[in-house]
Amino acid sequence: MAKGYWVSAYRSVSDPERLAAYNKLAGPAVEAEGGRMLAGGGRVDAHDAGVAGLTVLIEFDTFEQAISAHESAAYQEALAALSDGVERDFRIIEGAD
């Protein structure tokens, strides 16, 4: 079964306090659903139309688990705290088998 990944590329942060509130809630929500942070907050070498901002990669055992984690009540609470505090590109992708 293929793994699932969350990929978040932050284009801008307009409200660092909202991002901090989101991070406080999102970390435990992701961990409760079996997610593991593989990368986040490190250096980014962006190409083409990419922005060298904060980028986060989280791994789940399955694609379905990644979808379920995003839909969980705990993660939805984190998203509500984030609100419009950032502009980001968020994707859930299926890993190669």
Side-chain angles (χ1 to χ4, degrees), residues 23-67:
N23 286 336
K24 184 175 180 180
L25 296 170
V30 167
E31 289 175 7
E33 297 293 325
R36 297 168 298 282
M37 182 181 283
L38 298 181
R43 296 185 303 168
V44 175
D45 182 20
H47 298 271
D48 301 324
V51 175
L54 172 64
T55 304
V56 178
L57 176 63
I58 297 174
E59 178 184 63
F60 293 86
D61 289 336
T62 66
F63 180 72
E64 291 74 21
Q65 187 180 16
I67 297 287

